[in-house]
Amino acid sequence: MQQCLEYICKEFEKVKDYLHAPTPTKELIINNLFANFMHCFSEYPFEKKRYPKEFLESANLYNAGDAVMLKRFEDIGMRYLLLSDFYDYVKITHLYRKV
């Protein structure tokens, strides 16, 4: 797993309770992690083969400027859910182990 994705997982652990206890600080973290997630998937194409197509399609469409995807991810809740799904996936598949 690329370092950028490991970093995202490590930092996501700090905001896992965002839906129940949102704060401006957590919102900033989520926005930064989301931007890193989208950048990481565009930066390391070989890494993409490890992940479900849903993550890849979301990242590809978002990075390509797809209007529907951009609109969807304007909502911080959707950004959080994408990060949460990714975090859960890499934990379940043992691609990431909590340090």
Side-chain angles (χ1 to χ4, degrees), residues 50-95:
R50 289 184 168 181
Y51 303 103
K53 66 178 180 165
E54 290 79 9
F55 294 124
L56 305 176
E57 288 174 359
S58 292
N60 288 338
L61 290 170
Y62 184 87
N63 287 327
D66 179 76
V68 172
M69 199 59 66
L70 292 173
K71 183 71 175 163
R72 176 180 296 157
F73 287 117
E74 282 180 1
D75 178 13
I76 190 150
M78 292 302 291
R79 289 175 176 215
Y80 174 84
L81 291 175
L82 173 75
L83 294 168
S84 178
D85 288 347
F86 178 76
Y87 178 83
D88 290 345
Y89 176 80
V90 295
K91 291 283 289 181
I92 288 169
T93 60
H94 303 288
L95 290 171

